Amino acid sequence: MIPRDEVSSEAGTEVVGVREGRGEEEEEEVLQQQQLREEERLGTEEAPVEEATYKGGQQGGGSVWSSLVSGTLAILEPRRVETESGGGGGCWRTGRGGGGRWDLAVKRVVQCGPMRRLQERLLGHTWYTAANASGSVIWVLGVCYKITTDSSTESVSPALFQEFLNDFSSRLWFTYRRGFEPISQSNLTSDLGWGCMLRSGQMLLAQALMCHHLGRSWRRSGDQLCSQEYLQIVKSFGDSPDESCPFSIHNLVEVGSPYGLAAGSWLGPYALCRTLEALADTDRERCRKRGGQQVLPMVVHVVSGDADGERGGAPVLCVEDVTRLCLRWGEPGEEWGALLVLVPLVLGLDKVNPRYTPSLRATFTFPQSLGILGGKPGASTYLVGVQDGQALYLDPHETQQAVRILPENPEVDTSSYHCSIVRRIPLDSIDPSLALGFYCRNREEFDDLCARSSELADQSNGAPMFTVAQNSAPIKPADTSDQALALQESHPKEPSSEDDWQIL
């Protein structure tokens, strides 16, 4: 059972549970006031990169105040500039106009509690606690949680809800960071306002690595020392251009440059998927030339339709293509390599076509599920679960100080890489531009994914998100490269089908 009004020792953040006599509004008010006090105590001034403190330190995560300030400033700061490639309608680059006085004025306005709550409501985001949860089952990345002891009532069990919360808070959480080494040739030492899609992609990739090295059943425990495997995963996403941090935002920007990715610019799900695919290819080539172990021990396969970007119809997951890749990429002595499947989609114009909502919800029940990269327009999040029509997500729009993780120190504090604050948003209100992720450890799991996907397509009433085929279709002459498609992603043409369907 969760004690009423208990406060977690891990981050100074409130443990989500049942509080007797409090309604939803009062619950949110108490939670936000506590987080605001914590953020004010920690301060928000930039500082050089610090080493992570030992357990017992304060968690940078879960701060509503910093998150909402960051989100508001992110709306005001970006300006549109033309890209060299042309045809993509330009890209978003951060830039401050008007100096620090304007920023200070905005901060003072959004500091008040009512303004923060108004912003959350306008974006469609709400807090999710045991006090306002329904009694329906929760699906989190292929795991089902029944949070009621009696199916005939809607009364939520705090103990069962805590099991769900332990799973949710064990997922790695990557947010905006500040105070790191400048990215590439830019002077940017923070990704505030433009890096949310990259951070969401890092979370999905980290979940694949966690499943590969630690297993889906792994849970974080504040009472135990951190394992070497876990710390190595966290370190690999550190905010540094070093080779010891292969999945850092610095390295993602470098690898993704052919797809229009640059420091200070926003990118869409398709470009991010191609960037992760290129990252896997680069890692494989490095191991071939220098030897050593792969830092990304899996194939990354992007399912994105015809090479020429033809619109109309669902993209096809080809079993023959995946088989060829996994047999070639398998570790020595293995017949099949682990697989990360990414499916970038655009399921509508301004919002998701309602015909696809049941299929989106069903993907969270797949054991291979890695969640969805999606969110509101221009504000990417990492969707990890669903209950009824509500999507549960981790929000990268929180600015924290960059830290260094030392894997050789099992007592290092990694609390800033985990979040126990659950947010939710109606699934039918997310941006239609999104990407699905699936992890398959072996051939059996891939076959199971294909079977589940085929069944889901059959039940879609003629509107499948993607389909499965044994053989690939003949390749048509391509006029448009993957790079050009990625650059044009944020400005798609009108789809030709009446179902609001578009292949990237």
Side-chain angles (χ1 to χ4, degrees), residues 36-82:
L36 177 58
R37 289 195 301 270
E38 181 65 18
E39 182 65 24
E40 290 174 343
R41 190 186 72 78
L42 293 175
T44 58
E45 294 298 323
E46 289 197 11
V49 178
E50 302 174 352
E51 291 187 3
T53 56
Y54 295 101
K55 291 182 179 178
Q58 296 295 329
Q59 177 183 7
S63 169
V64 179
W65 156 234
S66 178
S67 174
L68 291 176
V69 169
S70 301
T72 302
L73 294 181
I75 296 174
L76 297 174
E77 288 181 349
R79 55 187 174 85
R80 181 172 290 282
V81 298
E82 293 300 322

Side-chain angles (χ1 to χ4, degrees), residues 36 40 65 69 106-116:
L36 177 58
E40 290 174 343
W65 156 234
V69 169
V106 173
K107 289 181 180 180
R108 288 175 176 174
V109 171
V110 301
Q111 183 175 3
C112 61
M115 179 61 71
R116 292 196 310 277

Side-chain angles (χ1 to χ4, degrees), residues 84-141:
E84 296 180 358
S85 59
C91 65
W92 290 103
R93 295 189 182 277
T94 56
R96 295 179 184 269
R101 294 182 179 179
W102 173 245
D103 292 348
L104 180 60
V106 173
K107 289 181 180 180
R108 288 175 176 174
V109 171
V110 301
Q111 183 175 3
C112 61
M115 179 61 71
R116 292 196 310 277
R117 291 192 295 275
L118 175 61
Q119 186 181 32
E120 289 275 356
R121 296 298 186 184
L122 290 177
L123 290 175
H125 301 226
T126 58
W127 298 101
Y128 184 71
T129 68
N132 62 14
S134 72
S136 303
V137 298
I138 303 174
W139 283 96
V140 179
L141 304 178

Side-chain angles (χ1 to χ4, degrees), residues 188-207:
L188 295 175
T189 59
S190 173
D191 59 318
L192 169 62
W194 59 271
C196 58
M197 179 59 72
L198 289 171
R199 298 301 186 180
S200 300
Q202 285 181 323
M203 285 188 269
L204 186 146
L205 180 59
Q207 179 59 24

Side-chain angles (χ1 to χ4, degrees), residues 160 163 359 387 455:
L160 295 178
E163 291 182 12
S359 296
Q387 184 188 42
E455 183 179 359

Side-chain angles (χ1 to χ4, degrees), residues 99-332:
R101 294 182 179 179
W102 173 245
D103 292 348
L104 180 60
V106 173
K107 289 181 180 180
R108 288 175 176 174
V109 171
V110 301
Q111 183 175 3
C112 61
M115 179 61 71
R116 292 196 310 277
R117 291 192 295 275
L118 175 61
Q119 186 181 32
E120 289 275 356
R121 296 298 186 184
L122 290 177
L123 290 175
H125 301 226
T126 58
W127 298 101
Y128 184 71
T129 68
N132 62 14
S134 72
S136 303
V137 298
I138 303 174
W139 283 96
V140 179
L141 304 178
V143 178
C144 180
Y145 289 94
K146 298 180 180 179
I147 57 176
T148 59
T149 55
D150 186 354
S151 58
S152 62
T153 67
E154 289 289 312
S155 178
V156 175
S157 165
L160 295 178
F161 189 85
Q162 183 64 35
E163 291 182 12
F164 148 73
L165 188 61
N166 289 341
D167 188 358
F168 179 89
S169 60
S170 294
R171 303 311 106 207
L172 282 177
W173 178 50
F174 298 114
T175 70
Y176 292 150
R177 294 278 176 169
R178 52 182 167 83
F180 50 67
E181 185 176 335
I183 300 176
S184 187
Q185 302 299 319
S186 73
N187 295 321
L188 295 175
T189 59
S190 173
D191 59 318
L192 169 62
W194 59 271
C196 58
M197 179 59 72
L198 289 171
R199 298 301 186 180
S200 300
Q202 285 181 323
M203 285 188 269
L204 186 146
L205 180 59
Q207 179 59 24
L209 291 171
M210 296 275 279
C211 289
H212 185 82
H213 293 291
L214 303 176
R216 178 62 183 87
S217 60
W218 181 88
R219 299 291 182 269
R220 179 173 178 263
S221 174
D223 300 330
Q224 299 178 359
L225 297 179
C226 298
S227 68
Q228 187 75 18
E229 294 83 359
Y230 161 76
L231 290 178
Q232 192 59 52
I233 293 175
V234 177
K235 178 179 174 56
S236 65
F237 291 91
D239 298 297
S240 169
D242 296 342
E243 287 189 358
S244 62
C245 304
F247 312 127
S248 67
I249 192 170
H250 300 71
N251 291 323
L252 287 175
V253 168
E254 180 180 355
V255 173
S257 58
Y259 303 101
L261 178 56
S265 66
W266 189 87
L267 78 162
Y270 177 83
L272 178 62
C273 291
R274 288 300 184 191
T275 297
L276 296 180
E277 184 181 48
L279 188 66
D281 293 337
T282 301
D283 179 43
R284 183 74 173 184
E285 184 65 19
R286 178 190 61 81
C287 290
R288 187 183 67 82
K289 292 181 178 179
R290 302 183 187 179
Q293 188 176 7
Q294 290 180 243
V295 294
L296 186 56
M298 62 188 71
V299 180
V300 177
H301 179 62
V302 179
V303 182
S304 59
D306 292 337
D308 61 356
E310 180 183 346
R311 290 168 171 79
V316 180
L317 175 60
C318 177
V319 175
E320 183 181 73
D321 293 343
V322 172
T323 300
R324 183 171 58 253
L325 286 172
C326 290
L327 291 177
R328 189 177 75 224
W329 281 57
E331 295 290 336

